[in-house]
Amino acid sequence: QVQLVESGGGLVQPGGSLRLACAASGFAFSSYVMGWYRQAPGKEREMVAGIGSVQDPTTNYVDSVKGRFVISRDNAKNTAYLQMNSLKPEDTGVYYCVAIRGSNAYWGQGTQVTVSS
């Protein structure tokens, strides 16, 4: 069955870094667009970063994380990553991994990121 399992979340001080990982199984990972979304308490879920499939692995980011976050993927390991640097309190939220191809969209269960001193 399809699985997306996020890991790497936790509590970090402002200015710190975290690296999230999304381990995928049960589908043709390399042919899917991969993305990271986040949802802060009381707010709607928003797209943070995306990376294209193996045919066109271009990346895109929400303006608030440009220059601080980097999305990448390792198709040999069926894993997507989100390197988060210079973290701010407003980056706090549950981070979700998503795999998209056409009308198919698979979501992970989310991992909590808390940025606080």
Side-chain angles (χ1 to χ4, degrees), residues 20-103:
L20 305 183
C22 172
S25 60
F27 62 99
F29 176 81
S30 64
S31 67
Y32 278 66
V33 172
M34 297 301 298
W36 288 94
Y37 281 66
R38 68 185 176 191
Q39 188 164 20
K43 295 188 177 181
E44 292 187 355
R45 192 174 297 191
E46 67 168 348
M47 192 279 286
V48 175
I51 184 167
S53 68
V54 64
Q55 290 87 0
D56 182 19
T58 55
T59 59
N60 60 88
Y61 302 89
V62 67
D63 285 347
S64 60
V65 308
K66 285 180 180 177
R68 300 189 297 122
F69 290 12
V70 178
I71 187 171
S72 62
R73 64 190 300 161
D74 185 335
N75 294 318
K77 295 183 178 180
N78 286 357
T79 302
Y81 302 95
L82 185 68
Q83 177 67 44
M84 305 187 295
N85 301 320
S86 301
L87 282 161
K88 304 175 181 181
E90 51 264 43
D91 294 318
T92 293
V94 179
Y95 282 69
Y96 299 90
C97 172
V98 62
I100 300 170
R101 188 178 75 178
S103 60

